[in-house]
Amino acid sequence: MRNTVLFIAMSLDGYIADQSGKVDWLTGQNAGKDDMETYNQFIQTVDTVVMGWKTYHQIISELSPSQWVYPNLTSYVITHHESPSSNIVQFTQQAPGSLIRKLKQQAGKDIWICGGADIAGQLIQENLIDRYHISVIPTLLGRGIRLFGRTDQEIKLKLLKTQSYNGITDLIYERR
């Protein structure tokens, strides 16, 4: 069965975006340094990416408006908006848990939960995240969109690996 991986970056104080929803602070301590090695290794292990509407909209309007950033992945956008699907992006109104349970039964590589906090929170609440790959950025935002909200249950994790580069610390956990 495929694994569901939350691969995401957050500030040291637990936010994935500032209070305006911006992510321009997602750099290491030396802003000009290329920090993509971890991502480049990770992306080889997945063939599906799942995100919410806000993450999708930020990608197409701010981060990469001229081309879709995941052309080699099957992309799902969970939304309440009526949008026509394409060969590149599938829009769905399915609940996150239902979609993930269906995808896990299909053949393929791992499933990447790309964002946002609401989608991740629902999947955490249903204990459907198999691995957490959290890149902690050396920034304190003070407020913004928090990655982890309240959960109704305790979820025990096992630390698989830590690594550090350019002030960023990756924490990789799996469910116990």
Side-chain angles (χ1 to χ4, degrees):
M1 186 179 295
R2 302 164 78 182
N3 285 316
T4 306
V5 182
L6 177 62
F7 183 97
I8 199 162
M10 72 176 190
S11 64
L12 181 60
D13 53 351
Y15 298 99
I16 61 169
D18 67 19
Q19 60 187 359
S20 301
K22 302 289 185 197
V23 294
D24 54 354
W25 51 272
L26 287 175
T27 62
Q29 56 200 23
N30 298 316
K33 189 173 180 184
D34 180 8
D35 295 327
M36 298 299 287
E37 185 177 331
T38 301
Y39 170 80
N40 292 333
Q41 292 170 359
F42 167 76
I43 202 72
Q44 302 301 313
T45 67
V46 299
D47 63 7
T48 304
V49 60
V50 175
M51 67 190 75
W53 175 262
K54 291 178 192 172
T55 301
Y56 168 76
H57 189 262
Q58 186 173 47
I59 290 170
I60 64 167
S61 65
E62 296 173 34
L63 303 176
S64 182
S66 60
Q67 69 181 26
W68 184 238
V69 293
Y70 309 120
N72 299 320
L73 303 179
T74 303
S75 301
Y76 290 90
V77 177
I78 299 172
T79 180
H80 297 294
H81 297 273
E82 291 287 332
S83 297
S85 294
S86 68
N87 291 340
I88 298 172
V89 179
Q90 302 293 312
F91 294 93
T92 181
Q93 294 187 12
Q94 273 188 289
S98 296
L99 175 63
I100 294 303
R101 280 188 283 279
K102 181 180 92 175
L103 293 173
K104 285 176 75 79
Q105 298 303 314
Q106 298 172 0
K109 295 181 178 181
D110 288 346
I111 304 160
W112 174 20
I113 307 306
C114 173
D118 186 49
I119 300 299
Q122 290 179 58
L123 295 172
I124 291 167
Q125 190 77 320
E126 293 186 52
N127 204 17
L128 288 171
I129 304 291
D130 299 303
R131 191 174 321 117
Y132 295 78
H133 186 132
I134 311 297
S135 296
V136 180
I137 306 299
T139 299
L140 296 170
L141 291 176
R143 64 176 83 160
I145 300 170
R146 187 168 289 287
L147 174 56
F148 296 109
R150 241 188 52 201
T151 60
D152 294 334
Q153 62 182 329
E154 181 179 289
I155 299 173
K156 294 192 181 284
L157 304 174
K158 174 184 176 184
L159 181 65
L160 298 178
K161 182 179 181 181
T162 62
Q163 55 192 24
S164 184
Y165 49 94
N166 194 19
I168 298 170
T169 300
D170 287 343
L171 304 169
I172 304 168
Y173 293 94
E174 70 180 12
R175 282 187 312 191
R176 285 194 255 165

